[in-house]
Amino acid sequence: MFDNVWLIPLFPLIGFLINGLLGKKIKNETIIGTIGSVAVFASFITAVMIFMNLIGLPANERSVNVKIFSWISAGNFNADIAFLIDPLSCLMMLVVTGISTVIHIYSIGYMHGEEGFYRFFAYLNLFVFSMLLLVSGNNLLLMFVGWEGVGLCSYLLIGYYFHKKSASDAGKKAFVMNRVGDFGFLLGTFTLFWWLGQTHDVWTIQFTELAKNADLFPTGGIVTIITLCFFLGATGKSAQIPLYTWLPDAMEGPTPVSALIHAATMVTAGVYMIGRMSFLFIRSPETMLTVAVVGACTALFAATIGTAQNDIKRVLAYSTVSQLGYMFLAMGVGAFTAGIFHLMTHAFFKACLFLGSGAVIHSMHHALHHVHSHDDAQDMRNMGGLKKFMPLTYLTFLTATIAIAGIPGFSGFFSKDEILWQAFANPLHGSMNTVLWAFGACAALLTAFYMFRLVFMTFHGTCRIKAGAEKHLHESPMVIVVPLLILAFFAAVGGYFGVPKLIGDLFGGIPNYLEHFLSPVFANAEAYMHAHTHHAHHSHALEWGLMGTSVVIAVVGISVAYMLYMVNPDIPKKFTSAFPVLHRAVYNKWYVDEIYDFVFVNPCKALGRLLWKGFDVLVVDGIVNGVATVVMAFGGVIRYFQTGQIYNYAWTMAFGVVVIVGYYLFK
């Protein structure tokens, strides 16, 4: 029934090999793009078949390990190339392959004419393969292979335009910062394996076996160390404080790459990993509070930066960091289903937003090129009034923006409101709950504001593009528009898979399908939480009140954006003039990159120069050069005896004979 699960990661791998090895000879963009897209679509179809088989099983049997072959075997330890099929991995495979298929199709039109077209699709397929390996592997070691694979692919795709220094620097930054997080992942894996084996003679890193032995882990102590190490890995991969600064710089890659990283693959890996290890994280109150606080702080901090950015993709980048903060907030308060729910809805509307921004940039580039202008095609200050030129793009972009703002009826409302409610009502963090909710609510206000600021500056008002260029603005080709329409549809209706019980009961008992589907995965963690925490009763009136408050917050954010950028667009200029220091700080991302450069980067460079000039040049090079100098000096003396004249050699030999004979005669 599930034996063909290995085909899901295999298809993108085949696409990578074909385009990577033969793409330069194939040359035809349509064939190359079709190969890459069909490979991922085949994975999606297989994932759908797996899903249909899985839901046909009883809830308590929806966890199947499929072993492909033995990988590592040493004593009692075994790590196989094997896949875990359960509701969480199945959902992630559907999201990854579904969103990736749409992005691949979009890329055929967007990347048309690029010199490295085949290379781009090869990297995309490899990226999807790595992510599928990450979410479907049944043990920590196989997950880490995929974990490192997406890190490699992010480096390759962010630095796709490697001839640009900014792009190559961004790729290296992503690679290095992720290595910091990956070090934590490895430490967590090694510590878990060592402690469980040494203490209880249980030598395993397989997820189902770890879950079965979860009761062996004591509350706090060693489990806190292990989970904090894993969380460090999650902060790097999912761009949380303090390892988030690589993600905004990832905008140097082509726009489809931004959509793939932000919506379907890499940045969701940390959230998935915590969900997969929920049975362990729930046993450490300290780690859970750390996850919640870091998530809440990241959500608010990144949202503040998004309010002052002018690059359309950079606004969306900080939006992603902020939304990931929401997901970690959910995980930290024990709302694991809500976190995964927001991961899914975010994939829909964020992919739509990034691909929509790509359509805008594509049209702007075309128009500016025709008038020989070097204006920035990504700067929203050069846009405005694009709604009449790109109506379909505007419609899809607006739909996704309404979803992320949390307007009722759209997908983001259901998932974000559930997280805010759980942040307030969870039984884990006591008095901290109000603070966590307040941070999330403030982030929601700013999200609604800066996202509609983006919409108003880009699509409404007067067209600010260079004179004469507006007549060259146009709607994108259908190969770009159709993916936008698909994603906009799911951004609108995707939330109905997880309607909260309060709303479901209001409309005749609509079930929360997602919660029922994922419940077996988080049953262990939820059982532990119910047994070890005190659950305070909260009335439905309170929940309705908080839900209404979140809606009011979203409306206020939208209204403020409308007043500032539609009714009276001079107010933002007056504000920046009145508070120049604050505006510069927010615009310059609170100078975090500069602080990191001062505290970490520059000292490392100085140490490198010291080691280079003080040790390498003086000591290592000194020894090598000293040996060379001695040899040269010795050779300089010896060369006088190498005259090339036979009679000199004869006299030398004769002299030597006399010396030897004299020595033996007179000793």
Side-chain angles (χ1 to χ4, degrees):
M1 184 186 299
F2 301 111
D3 290 343
N4 61 348
V5 65
W6 57 276
L7 293 173
I8 296 177
L10 179 66
F11 287 132
L13 181 62
I14 293 173
F16 159 71
L17 293 173
I18 294 174
N19 279 332
L21 298 175
L22 304 176
K24 199 169 184 178
K25 295 181 179 180
I26 295 174
K27 295 182 181 179
N28 188 292
E29 290 186 357
T30 303
I31 296 176
I32 292 171
T34 301
I35 291 171
S37 302
V38 168
V40 181
F41 183 65
S43 293
F44 174 68
I45 295 300
T46 309
V48 170
M49 294 168 59
I50 295 290
F51 169 75
M52 297 304 294
N53 288 329
L54 191 68
I55 61 175
L57 297 176
N60 60 348
E61 296 179 13
R62 292 176 183 172
S63 180
V64 182
N65 284 285
V66 179
K67 178 180 176 181
I68 307 303
F69 60 85
S70 296
W71 182 20
I72 300 173
S73 180
N76 295 327
F77 171 72
N78 289 284
D80 301 321
I81 299 297
F83 300 100
L84 173 60
I85 302 173
D86 71 351
L88 180 57
S89 64
C90 193
L91 177 66
M92 290 298 297
M93 287 189 287
L94 286 172
V95 171
V96 171
T97 55
I99 300 294
S100 297
T101 299
V102 174
I103 293 173
H104 275 70
I105 296 171
Y106 173 98
S107 299
I108 296 174
Y110 188 86
M111 297 300 290
H112 171 66
E114 288 286 347
E115 183 180 354
F117 191 88
Y118 77 95
R119 176 167 56 90
F120 178 81
F121 273 88
Y123 290 165
L124 281 189
N125 278 175
L126 184 61
F127 209 155
V128 176
F129 162 75
S130 299
M131 188 64 189
L132 289 171
L133 200 63
L134 189 157
V135 301
S136 62
N138 84 331
N139 61 75
L140 280 166
L141 202 55
L142 193 56
M143 174 190 275
F144 188 71
V145 174
W147 190 274
E148 289 297 281
V150 294
L152 168 65
C153 293
S154 69
Y155 166 76
L156 295 173
L157 286 166
I158 294 169
Y160 175 77
Y161 298 116
F162 55 84
H163 54 277
K164 290 173 54 182
K165 187 177 186 303
S166 58
S168 61
D169 286 347
K172 288 183 285 188
K173 185 176 183 178
F175 194 80
V176 170
M177 294 199 75
N178 272 275
R179 298 292 74 72
V180 177
D182 295 350
F183 180 67
F185 189 108
L186 282 175
L187 279 180
T189 302
F190 294 154
T191 307
L192 183 153
F193 176 72
W194 166 80
W195 185 87
L196 201 58
Q198 289 290 334
T199 309
H200 299 285
D201 198 31
V202 177
W203 304 94
T204 185
I205 53 173
Q206 186 176 317
F207 294 123
T208 50
E209 292 299 317
L210 290 172
K212 289 177 183 177
N213 291 282
D215 291 337
L216 298 178
F217 291 93
T219 300
I222 188 67
V223 76
T224 298
I225 296 173
I226 293 170
T227 50
L228 284 176
C229 287
F230 279 118
F231 180 57
L232 175 61
T235 59
K237 200 65 70 182
S238 294
Q240 297 295 285
I241 292 174
L243 301 178
Y244 72 93
T245 57
W246 68 268
L247 190 56
D249 288 2
M251 298 303 97
E252 290 291 339
T255 301
V257 172
S258 304
L260 193 64
I261 291 176
H262 288 245
T265 54
M266 184 168 170
V267 296
T268 62
V271 180
Y272 166 77
M273 184 265 287
I274 293 179
R276 176 58 70 199
M277 303 285 288
S278 59
F279 57 84
L280 202 60
F281 276 78
I282 199 65
R283 283 167 166 74
S284 173
E286 297 83 4
T287 299
M288 292 294 284
L289 181 60
T290 302
V291 174
V293 169
V294 169
C297 291
T298 303
L300 181 57
F301 183 75
T304 63
I305 299 175
T307 61
Q309 301 305 305
N310 296 315
D311 185 304
I312 186 171
K313 287 177 64 177
R314 199 164 286 272
V315 174
L316 296 177
Y318 281 104
S319 168
T320 298
V321 178
S322 181
Q323 296 303 307
L324 287 166
Y326 271 107
M327 298 175 208
F328 277 91
L329 172 59
M331 294 298 179
V333 300
F336 300 108
T337 299
I340 298 299
F341 185 25
H342 197 57
L343 183 156
M344 182 186 76
T345 60
H346 177 263
F348 297 141
F349 56 69
K350 187 51 62 68
C352 185
L353 289 168
F354 264 113
L355 297 187
S357 73
V360 170
I361 295 168
H362 187 268
S363 184
M364 288 286 294
H365 268 300
H366 175 78
L368 292 171
H369 176 74
H370 271 277
V371 296
H372 308 289
S373 173
H374 296 288
D375 288 348
D376 188 353
Q378 298 182 195
D379 195 324
M380 296 184 296
R381 293 170 295 186
N382 297 328
M383 300 176 188
L386 298 185
K387 178 174 70 169
K388 62 182 177 181
F389 302 106
M390 310 178 69
L392 290 176
T393 299
Y394 169 71
L395 177 64
T396 58
F397 203 98
L398 180 63
T399 302
T401 303
I402 293 172
I404 194 175
I407 298 301
F410 291 77
S411 62
F413 164 75
F414 296 104
S415 56
K416 186 182 291 186
D417 183 76
E418 183 68 15
I419 291 174
L420 289 175
W421 166 246
Q422 294 290 346
F424 185 88
N426 78 87
L428 296 176
H429 304 310
S431 59
M432 279 295 296
N433 286 0
T434 304
V435 177
L436 295 173
W437 177 87
F439 271 56
C442 291
L445 173 67
L446 294 176
T447 299
F449 168 75
Y450 68 68
M451 285 305 303
F452 272 88
R453 169 182 177 264
L454 185 157
V455 170
F456 294 143
M457 288 183 69
T458 303
F459 294 100
H460 290 264
T462 304
C463 186
R464 298 178 296 275
I465 197 171
K466 192 175 181 65
E470 65 274 3
K471 63 183 179 182
H472 298 289
L473 292 168
H474 58 80
E475 187 63 88
S476 299
M478 295 309 292
V479 70
I480 289 178
V481 172
V482 170
L484 293 177
L485 294 171
I486 295 172
L487 291 169
F489 172 77
F490 283 102
V493 306
Y496 293 95
F497 293 111
V499 177
K501 186 177 186 302
L502 193 69
I503 299 176
D505 291 343
L506 185 67
F507 291 95
I510 299 175
N512 188 328
Y513 297 105
L514 190 69
E515 184 177 12
H516 292 318
F517 182 60
L518 291 177
S519 59
V521 180
F522 303 126
N524 189 307
E526 290 175 355
Y528 183 90
M529 186 164 59
H530 282 286
H532 293 81
T533 56
H534 173 69
H535 287 258
H537 176 72
H538 297 285
S539 66
H540 289 330
L542 176 61
E543 188 172 354
W544 278 115
L546 289 177
M547 188 182 301
T549 302
S550 67
V551 175
V552 171
I553 286 172
V555 172
V556 169
I558 297 170
S559 301
V560 172
Y562 181 78
M563 291 296 296
L564 295 183
Y565 292 95
M566 292 295 293
V567 177
N568 196 340
D570 292 331
I571 294 180
K573 298 177 183 177
K574 294 177 181 178
F575 180 84
T576 56
S577 299
F579 303 97
V581 176
L582 177 61
H583 175 260
R584 280 199 303 271
V586 179
Y587 179 76
N588 289 295
K589 302 157 286 186
W590 299 108
Y591 300 105
V592 173
D593 280 300
E594 288 78 5
I595 293 171
Y596 283 3
D597 285 344
F598 179 78
V599 176
F600 300 109
V601 178
N602 293 335
C604 286
K605 288 182 178 178
L607 177 62
R609 283 192 294 269
L610 178 64
L611 292 174
W612 167 45
K613 293 184 178 180
F615 183 76
D616 188 59
V617 173
L618 293 180
V619 179
V620 178
D621 288 356
I623 293 173
V624 174
N625 293 336
V627 171
T629 301
V630 171
V631 171
M632 288 178 65
F634 184 72
V637 174
I638 296 298
R639 69 187 179 87
Y640 291 109
F641 297 95
Q642 299 294 329
T643 63
Q645 296 176 349
I646 295 178
Y647 71 88
N648 283 338
Y649 298 152
W651 278 110
T652 302
M653 292 175 63
F655 178 75
V657 171
V658 170
V659 170
I660 293 172
V661 171
Y663 172 77
Y664 282 104
L665 288 176
F666 298 104
K667 70 175 181 178

